[in-house]
C-alpha cells in the first residue's frame, strides 16, 4: 500500500511540517506528485493521479490519496487495511458535513436520507485498488451530469453546473459516487477519514470568513471563532487514519497551534520531536 498526494508547492508548510512527518512516523510510504501544469486546478488532480497509477502501480495495489496542504495521517498500514476491509465497496471516499460544491442543489440529487454524522462525499481522501480508480476515471472522463435530470433542467435555464464547478474534482467524484454506490462508498462514520471543516448553512459564509481573515489577520472575528471551535473539537481524539482540516482558516489555525506548541497530544504525538 502507498499513500499519494499531489502538490504544486513542494515547500508548503502543511505538507512539509505535518503530512510528510506524520506519514513517516506511521511507517507509510508517501508519494508526492508535483502538479507542474500552468494554472493547475483541483480538477487536474484526477488526470495526474490516473496517469501515475496507470504507469507505475499494479492494478491490485491498494492506494490511499490524501490532500497535500491540510491533512495528516495518524495510523499505519495495518490499521488502514483492516478498516478498509470492513467496507463493502472497493473504493471508499472521505465524507463531510457540507454538500460542497453544489449546496442545496446537491442535496436534491441524493435519493436517500443523509447518513450522519458525515453524509456527503469529500475528495480530500480516498482509498482503493489502483486499477479500480483508473477504471472509474476512464469510464467517467468528464462529470457525468447528463445522468441527473435536475442538472439538465438547470442547464436549460442558463445555469451550467459543469461550467460553474469546472475546477472542482469533488463535483466530479460526487456525481460518480451517486451513479456507482456499489463500487464507491463513503466513510460516513469517519473510521478512515475525518473531516474537521466547519459545517455551514450557506457557502457564502466561508468566502466572507476568508475575506475577513485576509483583511484583519489573526485579529479577525472569523479567525478567533474558528480557533475557538477547533480548540474545543480537538479535545476529543480522532479514531480515523487521516484527519483533514478542509478550509483555509482551519489549516491556518492548525499551523498556528503547531508553532505555539499547542497541538493536542494525540496530534503532536505523531510528529517527530
Amino acid at each position: 500500500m502507498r499513500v499519494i498526494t499531489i502538490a504544486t508547492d513542494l515547500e508548503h508548510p502543511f505538507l512539509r511540517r505535518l503530512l510528510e512527518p506524520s506519514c513517516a512516523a506511521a511507517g507509510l510510504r508517501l508519494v508526492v506528485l508535483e502538479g507542474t501544469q500552468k494554472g493547475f486546478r483541483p480538477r487536474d488532480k484526477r488526470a495526474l493521479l490516473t496517469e501515475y497509477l496507470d504507469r507505475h502501480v499494479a492494478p491490485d495495489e491498494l492506494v490511499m490519496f490524501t490532500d497535500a496542504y491540510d491533512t495528516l495521517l495518524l495510523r499505519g498500514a495495518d490499521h488502514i487495511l483492516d478498516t478498509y476491509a470492513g467496507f463493502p465497496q472497493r473504493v471508499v471516499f472521505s465524507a463531510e458535513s457540507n454538500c460542497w460544491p453544489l449546496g442545496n442543489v446537491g442535496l436534491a440529487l441524493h435519493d436517500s436520507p443523509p447518513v450522519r454524522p458525515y453524509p456527503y462525499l469529500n475528495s480530500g481522501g480516498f482509498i482503493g485498488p489502483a486499477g479500480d480508480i483508473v477504471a472509474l476515471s476512464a469510464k467517467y472522463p468528464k462529470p457525468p451530469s447528463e445522468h441527473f435530470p435536475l442538472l439538465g433542467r438547470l442547464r436549460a435555464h442558463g445555469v451550467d453546473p459543469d461550467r460553474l464547478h469546472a475546477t472542482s474534482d469533488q463535483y466530479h467524484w460526487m456525481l460518480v459516487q451517486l451513479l456507482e454506490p456499489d463500487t464507491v462508498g463513503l466513510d460516513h462514520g469517519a473510521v478512515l477519514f475525518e473531516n474537521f471543516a466547519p459545517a455551514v448553512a450557506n457557502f457564502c459564509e466561508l468566502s466572507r470568513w476568508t475575506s475577513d481573515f485576509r483583511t484583519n489577520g489573526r485579529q479577525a472575528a472569523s479567525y478567533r471563532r474558528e480557533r475557538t471551535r477547533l480548540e474545543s473539537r480537538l479535545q476529543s481524539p480522532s479514531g480515523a487514519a487521516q484527519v483533514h482540516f478542509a478550509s483555509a482558516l482551519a489549516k491556518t489555525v492548525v499551523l498556528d497551534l503547531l508553532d505555539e506548541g499547542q497541538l493536542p497530544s494525540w496530534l503532536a504525538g505523531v510528529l517527530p520531536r
Side-chain angles (χ1 to χ4, degrees), residues 22 37 51 54-55 59-60 62-64 67-69 73 79 106 117 120-121 133 146 157 164 171 184 197 203 241 269:
S22 71
Q37 174 184 325
E51 179 184 9
D54 198 33
R55 296 179 60 183
D60 60 348
L62 195 67
V63 297
M64 173 184 276
D67 273 358
Y69 304 152
L73 276 292
H79 175 92
Y120 309 111
L121 181 142
I133 297 168
E146 69 275 7
H157 288 274
L164 287 174
Y171 168 69
V184 184
F203 291 149

Side-chain angles (χ1 to χ4, degrees), residues 148-161:
F148 298 89
L150 175 58
L151 300 184
R153 291 196 294 273
L154 288 175
R155 195 173 290 110
H157 288 274
V159 179
D160 186 349

Side-chain angles (χ1 to χ4, degrees), residues 127-138:
I127 187 171
D132 291 64
I133 297 168
V134 170
L136 285 167
S137 294

Side-chain angles (χ1 to χ4, degrees), residues 1-234:
M1 192 197 87
R2 70 185 81 185
V3 180
I4 302 173
T5 195
I6 294 173
T8 55
D9 176 8
L10 299 183
E11 299 304 320
H12 191 283
F14 214 108
L15 172 64
R16 287 301 185 203
R17 301 178 62 199
L18 288 165
L19 178 57
E20 290 183 339
S22 71
C23 287
L28 295 167
R29 175 187 177 189
L30 178 66
V31 176
V32 182
L33 304 180
E34 185 178 7
T36 57
Q37 174 184 325
K38 184 177 181 180
F40 193 89
R41 295 290 185 268
R43 66 179 179 191
D44 300 318
K45 294 188 294 185
R46 202 166 31 84
L48 182 56
L49 176 63
T50 301
E51 179 184 9
Y52 173 80
L53 296 179
D54 198 33
R55 296 179 60 183
H56 301 289
V57 184
D60 60 348
E61 182 176 347
L62 195 67
V63 297
M64 173 184 276
F65 175 82
T66 186
D67 273 358
Y69 304 152
D70 52 13
T71 70
L72 65 155
L73 276 292
L74 302 178
R75 292 169 176 82
D78 289 345
H79 175 92
I80 293 169
L81 293 171
D82 288 346
T83 307
Y84 166 75
F87 286 89
Q89 298 91 352
R90 288 178 61 83
V91 178
V92 179
F93 272 78
S94 172
E96 63 167 292
S97 302
N98 303 309
C99 191
W100 175 271
L102 284 172
N104 291 340
V105 171
L107 303 182
L109 299 182
H110 291 74
D111 293 331
S112 303
V115 181
R116 306 293 181 185
Y118 299 102
Y120 309 111
L121 181 142
N122 177 277
S123 62
F126 56 90
I127 187 171
D132 291 64
I133 297 168
V134 170
L136 285 167
S137 294
K139 185 176 181 179
Y140 300 103
K142 61 184 183 66
S145 57
E146 69 275 7
H147 293 277
F148 298 89
L150 175 58
L151 300 184
R153 291 196 294 273
L154 288 175
R155 195 173 290 110
H157 288 274
V159 179
D160 186 349
D162 287 3
R163 181 180 58 80
L164 287 174
H165 307 299
T167 64
S168 174
D169 66 323
Q170 186 154 305
Y171 168 69
H172 181 110
W173 283 121
M174 184 192 74
L175 299 184
V176 171
Q177 192 277 326
L178 289 171
L179 293 173
E180 303 276 358
D182 293 335
T183 301
V184 184
L186 298 183
D187 184 9
H188 296 296
V191 293
L192 270 175
F193 308 96
E194 184 161 14
N195 191 298
F196 281 77
V200 295
N202 185 335
F203 291 149
C204 292
E205 294 178 52
L206 294 177
S207 296
R208 288 195 293 268
W209 295 348
T210 302
S211 178
D212 179 35
F213 175 66
R214 287 174 178 166
T215 300
N216 299 299
R218 285 161 179 77
Q219 299 306 310
S222 58
Y223 175 85
R224 297 197 303 271
R225 180 172 57 245
E226 182 63 359
R227 177 154 179 156
T228 299
R229 182 189 74 86
L230 274 178
E231 286 177 333
S232 175
R233 184 166 177 189
L234 292 177

